[in-house]
Every structure is written in structure tokens, then in C-alpha cells.
Amino acid sequence: CKRKGFCPLCTFYFIFCTISDFGVSSATPTEEMNGAGNLMDFLDEPFPDVGTYEDFHTIDWLREKSRDTDRHRKITSKSKESIWELIKSLLDAWSGWVVMLLIGLLSGTLAGVIDLAVDWMTDLKEGVCLSAFWYSHEQCCWTSNETTFDDRDKCPQWQKWAELMTGHTEGAGVYVLNYFLYILWALLFSFLAVSLVRVFAPYACGSGIPEIKTILSGFIIRGYLGKWTLLIKTVTLVLAVSSGLSLGKEGPLVHVACCCGNLFCSLFSKYSKNEGKRREVLSAAAAAGVSVAFGAPIGGVLFSLEEVSYYFPLKTLWRSFFAALVAAFTLRSINPFGNSRLVLFYVEYHTPWYMAELVPFILLGVFGGLWGTLFIRANIAWCRRRKTTQLGKYPVLEVIAVTGITAVLAYPNPYTRRSTSELISELFNDCGSLESSQLCDYINNPNMSRPVDDIPDRPAGPGVYNALWQLALALIFKIVITIFTFGMKIPSGLFIPSMAVGAIAGRIVGIAVEQMAYHHHDWIIFKNWCRPGADCVTPGLYAMVGAAACLGGVTRMTVSLVVIMFELTGGLEYIVPLMAAAVTSKWVADAFGKEGIYESHIQLNGYPYLDVRDEFTHRTLATDVMRPRRNDPPLAVLTQDTTTVEDVETLIKDTDYNGFPVVVSRESERLIGFVQRRDLTLAIKNARQKQDGVVSSSVVYFTEDAPQLPASNPQPLKLRRILNLSPFTVTDHTPMETVVDIFRKLGLRQCLVTRSGRLLGIITKKDVLRHMAQMMNQDPESIMFN
């Protein structure tokens, strides 16, 4: 005994052990009759895997919270015993911040490497740098001493493939050869991407955000955040984006960051052995992923809070901010774009917006909502067709076909040929006197003498009108091809394609408003704020507002979206236009359906996800949903002290339930508690291995004291430790509105239905989801659960 001073219990234990050592039986006659002379609760010391969950099951949030509280209480009490235990308790307290630091460092590094690799491989489709083949086009011309400002995209060190092979720079043959090689490189990159995903990590496909939302709600998907998924997703993300497909890397970066978080969770038992605590880390990792994707640490935290997280306590908010900060700092240190910014399309505007411009901003919001509705319905219809037809059996062929069509149609148009991030960057830019883009081909007044940042509105030149036609074709192309691209078996994000659609539409509207203000400045809507010779309208601002509107229409984000766009521009005065467009976009899209693209894909895949934003207004009761129903077999239960090991094993073998209620007897059906199927299986397996005398006819009891059994009976098995003595219960007349709210806010796996303490039935999370589908006139059996 380690206690100091006199301890009656220790003294009794010492005498008991001494008598046993001399071979004298200390069991009483009653214990001999019960066969409990050597009875012990072998669960006093936990065995491996107890309290864990099987694949494609939902965690018990209440149990995980209780286990963490017990662990923390134990560490706190031990910290008072010695200096070493105090140090261990301090290390445990700081482990969360260490994990956040590691997540930020690794996710920021991976994001920087991905950005650099995408930049190089995208340019590799068109040419190569002769002085250093690992340089992108821009980096190659940076190092050249022969580059002029007017021809800053041309330098002797960078050669296109046709020029390198034939020595000619112009002509139909050169164009055709470059065209052919562009398609060939695109097909090669996409084939490598889909092959690596298919062979090594099937979970590396898609954006990952629907599955991240489901995992954070408590669902278990083994391997989705594993090491192989992290490696393959990082590599194939570079290949997929470089192939020129209409997809982005920003969404998959959230998945990559969550893989980093899961990786570092395995280093600390505090997180590796508690699924609830692990999900707190994953919420912070999602914030770090958005932070490096958009260079928006605050927007990343709000994205995690608004869009993906299910349980977000205050300390997770602080740690998310820290992880996002470290990730952004790491990416800034790498400086992948060479502009001392975290993103490629960082812009600064010098002209304020005016109240009259709210009208086109709101119209862009309406366009964004309509585009979001169109895209969600069309994409879900195509993905459902992929799942239910032969098309889904040929993912490689589908990727190759879509890539070929994309490359063939994209190359002739300079706005679709370049990477989508570069396209957005050009559309966001304000036209200064040093810009050489077609979008800035305005007719200048030779007598103009103004500062560089204050160029007045000018009439559009032929380059602008030519660019408008090309942008209109690019808009149609992006709208159509993105529907078929998102959801293929390669890493594919939706943020950048959605922003590109909105940015193109916004730039077209911006140029139109700008030219109207120039040619009709005497109209009443322009007279008060747009005088001749003034810099009134900024088309780049319209592109930014349009991008926010379309992204909001697809994802239904509001607050986090506005903050992300604000951090992109670095200007406070444009928050109102962004808010107006985002809110309008959400209102219009919600008028056609409440689900965003991620919630729609969750429903399509049949994940058991209860959205906290859904409302349940139907007047049904728990008795209408609980099982067993009429004509169903009776509920599978265990009794507290009359069930044998063989009975339990037979019940486990014949059913696939996740757990079983424990009652006093089958006659009274008074509820005692609830035991999980996995814990029951592991307990019996370990008892057979470690506890002598446990056979198939041994009685399993869940009470504190052993049942009264004849001496000839085999030794009973005590399993009280795995019994949940306080399962969540409701009465049969509880409104389902309350039951649904309980499942959402407490993260329950199941809820027992009783009347006056007597067990009537059980309601599981899947029962709730099926009932909600039935109430919305959907086929409840059409919901596919893994």
C-alpha cells in the first residue's frame, strides 16, 4: 500500500494476500456457492481498443467528453504527488498548442510547395526555361538581363516547345504544334493524377470538405485523413491543377491541413485516444487550410466556425487562430508568388465606391445566387448519374475525356488557356498606366497629366471590346465545364472556379458601367458623383464583388466569405459592396433550396449528417419514429444477471446493432443502462484469454454484486465497467422537434425511449435522418449509408 499512515482496507488486503500465499482459502461459504472465490473484474485495468469505434460509425460525444474529464481530473490529482507529475500535467496542458504549431508549420510548407509546383507545371505545358528547367515562365524572365518592361513576358531563356523543336516562333505550324503539345501535357498530368488516386489513395479525390464536415460531426471514416491520403492528395493536387481543368486547389488544401492535424494527433495520447478531442484539432486544422489557401487567417477561423465545424468551443477558437497565424506566417516566409503576398490575386484599389453602384453590385449578387442554384442542381444530377450508371465504373476514362475537351476548347482563348488563379488576378487588377493587358486597352488623352493612381475614365479601345467577347465565351465555357469537372476522381476544389465565373461576369458588368458613366455622365444616376475627367468606376472592384457573389451562391457562406475577400484586398471601404452581394446571393439561392454544394454532396453520398441549420417543424412524437415498429421483432436486449456468454455471442452474431439496452428482466423491462457492441465483443474476447473459468455457459452480469448461482456453475463474468449507467432517454410522448434538437446539440448516437422507467424502444441517428427525409416527401430508403 502506497498510502501513508493506517489504512484499514490496506491492512485487510495484506492479511488476505498472506493467507492466500499459505494456501488457506479465505472465501466464505456463500462465495463458494456462487463460484466467485477467484472472481475479479478484469476491466479494472483497461484493455486495448475499449471505447473505440468501428469504421463508418458515429462517435458518442457525451462519452468522449466524460472520458476527457476523467482523464483531466486524474492528471490534476496526480500533479500534487511529485514534481515529475506536475511537469507531465504542464506538458499535457501545452500539448494542444504544440499540435497547433506543428499543423501550421506543415500545412504552410505544403501549401508553398504546391503553389510553386503548380506554377512551374502549368507553364511547362507551353514551354521550358533553358537556363534552369525548374523555373516557371515568370521566374525565368526575372533572371534574364535582356528582358524589357514592354516585353516582360518574353525573354530569350524561355522558349515555347514549337520554337525549341523547329526554331520558328510564328506560323500556323508553330501554333498547331504548341496546341497539340498543350493537350498532350494536360492529358498526361490528369492521367497521372487519377491513376495515383485510384491505385494508392481513393479518398484523395474531390475537395474533401463534405467528408470533413461529416467527420467533424462525429462520423468515423478510417483512412480519410491518413498518411497515404496526405501524400497522394498533395502530389495529385499539383497534377490536377496543372492539367488546366476547371478546378482549384483551395478546397483540397483544407483536406490536406486536416490530414496534417490527424497525423500530429497520433503523437499525443490526449488526442489519439479521444475522438472528441481529435475533432477539436481538426477544426483548427481546417482554419489553417483556408488561411494558406487565401492568405486569410481570420477568414480561415470564421470559415471553420461557420462552414465545417460541428462542435467549436472557445479554446478551439483561440487555437484555430494560432494555427492559422502560424500557417500564414510559414507561407509568407516561403513567398511562392514572389510578390510578398500570400495569394496571387492580391489587389489594392484607389477609387472609392458610390451609393449608386449598389444597384449593379446587388444585380451581381442575384447572378451569383442563380449561378449557385444552377450549378448545384446540374452537378448533383450529373454526380447521381455517375453513381447509378456505367459511367462510374470508368473514372480514368471520364477524367481523360473531360481533360481532352477542356484542353481543346481552352487553348484558343487566352483567358481560358492560362491558370484560373492568373485569370482572376488579371480580372481583379485596376488598370494603371503600366498595365499591358487587353482589358486596359483604353484610348488615352495625350494632354492628360495626372498621378499614376488617379487615371480618369476613358473610352474603351479595340482591345477592350475584343477582350469582352473573349470573356463572354470564357464565361459560358467555365459555367458548363465546371459542372462536369467537380466530383471526378481527382482532387478538385470549387472555390477558384466559382470565383472565376463571378469575376468574369463582374468585369464585364464593370466595364459596361464604366463606359456608360463616361459616355452618359449627364444622366441623373451619374451626374452627382461622376464628373467628366474623373476616375469614377473601378471594373476590378466589380470583378471582386462578382467573385464573392458566385462563391457565396455555391457554398452559402456569408460572414467568412466577406472577411476572406476583405483580407484579399486589404481595404475596409469595400466591405459594404461585398456584404450586399453576399447576402443577396444567399437570399436568391436559398429561395430555390437551402442546401449548399457541400450539404448536397453529403446527402448524395448518404453520410449521417444532421445539419444544425435545418429546421424540423413537423408535429410527430418519439413513439412514431422509435423501433421496434408494429409487426417488427422485439427489441434486442440484455438482462442484468441472467444472460450467458453464449447468448451474448449469438446476439452479436445474429444482429448488426451498434449496442444493446440492458434491462432488469425481460418481464419487467426496467432499464438499467446501455452497452456498446464493440465494447461487449472486446470484453468477452479478453475475458476468455485472461480470466480463468470463463466459458460459453458463464453468466454475464452487469450488477455490482455477483448473482446467486449454484456452486457447480462456471465462473460468471462481470462487465459492469463497460455499461453506460446513464444513457440518454426520452419518453414516448416527446415531440420529435425536441428529439432532433437533442441529437444535433449533444451529438447522440442513439436515444432510448421509455415510459415510467420501462423500455419501449430506441431511436438512432439514422432513424432521425430517415424520418426527416420522409417528412420532406423523400424516399427514406433512398438514403444510402456506408
Side-chain angles (χ1 to χ4, degrees):
C1 182
K2 296 183 179 180
R3 297 192 183 185
K4 296 180 180 179
F6 176 75
C7 174
L9 182 62
C10 296
T11 306
F12 175 80
Y13 181 76
F14 174 77
I15 296 172
F16 175 83
C17 293
T18 305
I19 295 173
S20 299
D21 288 341
F22 281 94
V24 181
S25 175
S26 61
T28 63
T30 305
E31 288 171 331
E32 290 286 357
M33 182 183 67
N34 293 343
N38 297 316
L39 191 65
M40 69 171 183
D41 185 358
F42 76 100
L43 288 173
D44 283 338
E45 293 185 5
F47 51 86
D49 295 330
V50 68
T52 57
Y53 304 93
E54 296 181 0
D55 201 6
F56 298 111
H57 284 69
T58 304
I59 70 171
D60 189 332
W61 284 94
L62 293 178
R63 183 168 72 163
E64 297 302 301
K65 180 67 175 175
S66 177
R67 289 171 60 188
D68 183 63
T69 303
D70 292 341
R71 183 196 64 84
H72 189 265
R73 189 184 298 116
K74 183 179 178 181
I75 290 175
T76 304
S77 61
K78 277 190 173 184
S79 64
K80 301 175 183 178
E81 296 179 1
S82 64
I83 297 296
W84 174 241
E85 294 294 340
L86 178 62
I87 295 174
K88 286 170 65 176
S89 69
L90 293 175
L91 292 175
D92 179 81
W94 278 91
S95 60
W97 297 101
V98 174
V99 171
M100 296 302 117
L101 176 66
L102 295 174
I103 291 172
L105 291 173
L106 183 56
S107 58
T109 302
L110 289 177
V113 171
I114 289 172
D115 288 334
L116 291 170
V118 166
D119 195 22
W120 173 65
M121 294 184 70
T122 300
D123 290 341
L124 191 63
K125 291 185 298 183
E126 298 190 33
V128 66
C129 184
L130 300 181
S131 58
F133 72 91
W134 57 88
Y135 279 172
S136 66
H137 187 179
E138 189 175 17
Q139 292 170 333
C140 187
C141 292
W142 280 350
T143 59
S144 174
N145 295 325
E146 303 173 34
T147 305
T148 61
F149 183 81
D150 292 333
D151 296 325
R152 51 187 177 275
D153 291 333
K154 299 178 182 179
C155 56
Q157 286 80 7
W158 178 266
Q159 289 191 2
K160 293 189 175 182
W161 292 111
E163 181 184 358
L164 187 64
M165 294 178 180
T166 64
H168 300 287
T169 58
E170 295 180 355
V174 171
Y175 182 84
V176 171
L177 182 57
N178 282 327
Y179 198 165
F180 174 75
L181 291 174
Y182 179 91
I183 298 172
L184 193 65
W185 278 110
L187 292 173
L188 176 62
F189 291 160
S190 62
F191 175 74
L192 288 175
V194 69
S195 300
L196 288 172
V197 169
R198 185 174 174 82
V199 174
F200 295 104
Y203 283 151
C205 65
S207 74
I209 293 181
E211 286 76 15
I212 296 297
K213 285 172 68 76
T214 308
I215 290 172
L216 290 179
S217 73
F219 198 54
I220 302 286
I221 307 180
R222 303 287 182 201
Y224 197 82
L225 302 176
K227 302 180 186 67
W228 269 109
T229 305
L230 172 61
L231 177 62
I232 299 301
K233 185 113 185 181
T234 303
V235 174
T236 54
L237 179 57
V238 174
L239 292 168
V241 175
S242 302
S243 67
L245 287 166
S246 182
L247 48 83
K249 61 182 182 296
E250 282 67 20
L253 279 175
V254 176
H255 188 187
V256 169
C258 287
C259 288
C260 297
N262 189 63
L263 174 67
F264 292 123
C265 279
S266 61
L267 303 179
F268 300 89
S269 60
K270 175 181 178 179
Y271 299 106
S272 62
K273 295 182 179 180
N274 190 297
E275 294 293 342
K277 298 294 291 182
R278 185 195 298 268
R279 274 148 183 77
E280 293 181 21
V281 173
L282 296 180
S283 293
V290 175
S291 173
V292 294
F294 290 102
I298 302 174
V301 175
L302 292 176
F303 174 84
S304 179
L305 175 61
E306 178 185 3
E307 188 65 22
V308 298
S309 293
Y310 202 83
Y311 173 64
F312 204 84
L314 185 59
K315 63 180 178 181
T316 303
L317 180 68
W318 303 335
R319 291 176 178 175
S320 299
F321 183 75
F322 179 68
L325 174 66
V326 174
F329 176 78
T330 304
L331 183 62
R332 172 66 179 79
S333 302
I334 296 174
N335 193 19
F337 303 110
N339 58 0
S340 299
R341 304 293 184 186
L342 297 178
V343 289
L344 181 61
F345 38 85
Y346 184 92
V347 290
E348 290 181 349
Y349 301 128
H350 307 281
T351 304
W353 65 277
Y354 300 91
M355 287 298 296
E357 291 182 285
L358 277 179
V359 175
F361 292 154
I362 291 174
L363 290 177
L364 285 172
V366 173
F367 171 79
L370 294 175
W371 146 251
T373 302
L374 168 68
F375 174 80
I376 291 171
R377 292 190 177 182
N379 180 252
I380 292 299
W382 178 251
C383 290
R384 184 175 287 112
R385 182 178 180 83
R386 181 190 292 127
K387 292 173 74 75
T388 56
T389 62
Q390 295 292 321
L391 179 64
K393 297 181 180 179
Y394 306 99
V396 177
L397 187 60
E398 181 190 10
V399 171
I400 293 297
V402 174
T403 304
I405 294 171
T406 303
V408 168
L409 297 178
Y411 188 84
N413 190 335
Y415 291 109
T416 53
R417 184 191 313 172
R418 68 187 63 184
S419 72
T420 313
S421 294
E422 291 178 352
L423 171 62
I424 295 174
S425 176
E426 182 168 346
L427 294 172
F428 279 12
N429 271 339
D430 190 12
C431 284
S433 59
L434 305 179
E435 294 293 335
S436 59
S437 169
Q438 267 194 326
L439 288 170
C440 298
D441 183 23
Y442 290 92
I443 300 174
N444 293 314
N445 183 356
N447 299 322
M448 181 187 70
S449 59
R450 286 179 175 268
V452 172
D453 294 333
D454 190 23
I455 298 177
D457 290 343
R458 298 157 291 170
V464 173
Y465 290 110
N466 187 38
L468 285 176
W469 282 109
Q470 292 174 340
L471 285 177
L473 294 174
L475 178 63
I476 298 172
F477 171 74
K478 288 286 185 183
I479 287 176
V480 175
I481 203 66
T482 306
I483 292 172
F484 298 97
T485 303
F486 187 72
M488 293 195 303
K489 297 302 179 183
I490 54 174
S492 54
L494 190 58
F495 285 7
I496 289 297
S498 300
M499 290 176 65
V501 169
I504 294 172
R507 188 76 185 206
I508 293 174
V509 171
I511 293 174
V513 173
E514 180 190 42
Q515 293 306 301
M516 287 176 60
Y518 178 80
H519 292 289
H520 305 284
H521 55 79
D522 55 339
W523 286 7
I524 189 169
I525 58 174
F526 300 120
K527 185 180 296 184
N528 294 330
W529 58 277
C530 191
R531 298 180 307 275
D535 185 11
C536 304
V537 180
T538 305
L541 175 60
Y542 286 75
M544 186 180 70
V545 172
C550 284
L551 184 55
V554 171
T555 63
R556 308 298 162 83
M557 294 190 301
T558 52
V559 179
S560 57
L561 172 63
V562 171
V563 173
I564 287 172
M565 299 303 293
F566 151 66
E567 290 187 86
L568 284 179
T569 58
L572 274 170
E573 58 182 315
Y574 304 111
I575 283 185
V576 173
L578 291 171
M579 291 176 66
V583 171
T584 305
S585 172
K586 180 172 174 58
W587 282 344
V588 172
D590 283 349
F592 297 95
K594 297 291 185 182
E595 296 84 12
I597 185 64
Y598 301 130
E599 290 78 18
S600 298
H601 273 270
I602 287 173
Q603 291 183 5
L604 178 67
N605 293 324
Y607 297 133
Y609 180 78
L610 270 175
D611 196 341
V612 295
R613 291 172 288 192
D614 289 341
E615 296 181 1
F616 186 86
T617 57
H618 305 281
R619 302 184 66 178
T620 52
L621 302 177
T623 188
D624 301 324
V625 183
M626 72 177 189
R627 290 181 297 163
R629 310 279 179 84
R630 283 183 183 177
N631 304 323
D632 283 353
L635 191 65
V637 298
L638 300 173
T639 57
Q640 65 176 358
D641 55 8
T642 60
T643 308
T644 64
V645 172
E646 184 179 13
D647 294 335
V648 175
E649 291 177 332
T650 302
L651 184 64
I652 292 173
K653 182 180 178 182
D654 294 343
T655 64
D656 57 356
Y657 305 131
N658 290 332
F660 306 95
V662 178
V663 296
V664 174
S665 65
R666 296 186 184 277
E667 293 76 22
S668 69
E669 290 193 336
R670 296 290 178 185
L671 182 64
I672 298 297
F674 192 86
V675 62
Q676 299 290 343
R677 175 194 186 94
R678 181 174 175 82
D679 292 350
L680 199 58
T681 304
L682 291 170
I684 293 176
K685 179 181 177 182
N686 279 269
R688 286 185 178 276
Q689 295 174 352
K690 298 181 180 180
Q691 189 170 340
D692 296 333
V694 175
V695 293
S696 296
S697 57
S698 297
V699 173
V700 175
Y701 70 97
F702 297 93
T703 56
E704 193 66 48
D705 300 320
Q708 301 292 324
L709 300 173
S712 58
N713 277 28
Q715 181 174 330
L717 175 60
K718 181 180 179 182
L719 295 181
R720 187 175 178 82
R721 279 293 187 91
I722 63 172
L723 178 66
N724 179 8
L725 292 169
S726 57
F728 205 93
T729 61
V730 296
T731 66
D732 54 333
H733 286 89
T734 304
M736 274 306 296
E737 183 180 1
T738 303
V739 174
V740 171
D741 211 30
I742 290 171
F743 269 87
R744 283 176 180 154
K745 294 182 177 178
L746 296 182
L748 298 181
R749 300 180 78 187
Q750 67 279 318
C751 176
L752 301 176
V753 183
T754 62
R755 179 191 293 169
S756 301
R758 181 173 175 269
L759 179 66
L760 295 181
I762 186 172
I763 300 175
T764 65
K765 192 174 184 179
K766 293 180 182 179
D767 294 329
V768 173
L769 287 165
R770 289 193 181 99
H771 181 67
M772 293 176 68
Q774 190 174 12
M775 291 295 100
M776 291 186 290
N777 297 321
Q778 298 176 0
D779 181 12
E781 300 305 322
S782 66
I783 300 177
M784 302 173 293
F785 295 106
N786 289 302

